[in-house]
Amino acid sequence: MQNKFAIIANFIAKNNILFFSRGGEGPSIVFKTFEERTRLMIDTKTAPYGALLLRVSLGVMFIAHSLYLKVMVFTIPGTVQFFESLGLPGFSAYLVIGAETLGGIALMLGFYTRSVAFALVPILFGALWVHSGNGWLFTAKGGGWEYPLFLTLAAIVQGLLGGGAFAVPSRDLGPLARGSIGADRKSVV
């Protein structure tokens, strides 16, 4: 069995870590490249499944929010009326319902995940704007802005991560979807 020093020395040599001291502050760890640093920060075996879970969760949320809430609960005429009460054109309700429904389906499938996630961010900013005057907590009358803010950030993170595991392969879709985590078998975080 190796002693602790040998284990640490082996780790340092294996991961190309350099030590240096900054004006007596003690040793600092410096990695030679960004890839070496991120390799230790992100688990490339589980990251695609984290992106998958986020992608499917966002997709389900968008579909439920558009089809259930806006179409079934509020009805389409009620949603149009609500948009108009905010000073928005009535037809924008149809655009939002369509974008949330199609975007939710695309996210669930992992179809152009990055582009779809970023395309849905302006809709989430709109929701954030609608709820901004109601306070922080979403349990407040009219719903606060904590949930729309969280969903906005989650969509941005999804756009940065890409499709994850079980996404429609990017090689079949062209350059817009390339670089997604797990979008094809060769990709790495």
Side-chain angles (χ1 to χ4, degrees):
M1 178 154 170
Q2 294 180 320
N3 64 28
K4 289 179 185 179
F5 179 77
I7 293 171
I8 293 170
N10 187 23
F11 176 81
I12 290 168
K14 182 177 162 185
N15 292 293
N16 295 319
I17 299 173
L18 301 173
F19 285 91
F20 71 94
S21 179
R22 287 188 234 165
E25 295 176 11
S28 299
I29 298 175
V30 177
F31 296 90
K32 290 182 180 177
T33 66
F34 177 76
E35 288 78 20
E36 291 170 353
R37 187 174 70 230
T38 57
R39 181 172 39 91
L40 296 174
M41 293 189 316
I42 298 173
D43 186 341
T44 58
K45 292 178 183 162
T46 60
Y49 300 104
L52 165 69
L53 182 62
L54 179 60
R55 186 186 86 222
V56 171
S57 299
L58 279 172
V60 168
M61 184 283 307
F62 276 112
I63 291 169
H65 200 260
S66 62
L67 293 181
Y68 178 71
L69 185 66
K70 289 185 174 93
V71 175
M72 306 285 281
V73 174
F74 296 143
T75 71
I76 293 177
T79 303
V80 170
Q81 185 179 17
F82 177 70
F83 275 54
E84 289 172 340
S85 76
L86 297 170
L88 299 170
F91 73 87
S92 63
Y94 294 100
L95 297 176
V96 169
I97 291 170
E100 286 182 345
T101 303
L102 295 175
I105 292 168
L107 285 174
M108 287 182 65
L109 296 174
F111 186 76
Y112 282 101
T113 303
R114 290 179 187 269
S115 301
V116 170
F118 286 132
L120 290 169
V121 168
I123 292 172
L124 292 169
F125 277 137
L128 189 58
W129 168 71
V130 168
H131 294 282
S132 64
N134 302 335
W136 164 251
L137 294 175
F138 203 68
T139 56
K141 184 179 179 190
W145 52 272
E146 70 173 322
Y147 187 59
L149 177 63
F150 175 78
L151 291 175
T152 303
L153 295 175
I156 292 169
V157 168
Q158 186 69 67
L160 293 171
L161 286 174
F166 308 113
V168 176
S170 64
R171 63 181 171 272
D172 297 338
L173 300 175
L176 282 177
R178 286 201 177 94
S180 295
I181 297 172
D184 58 29
R185 300 288 180 214
K186 297 177 187 173
S187 68
V188 179
V189 177

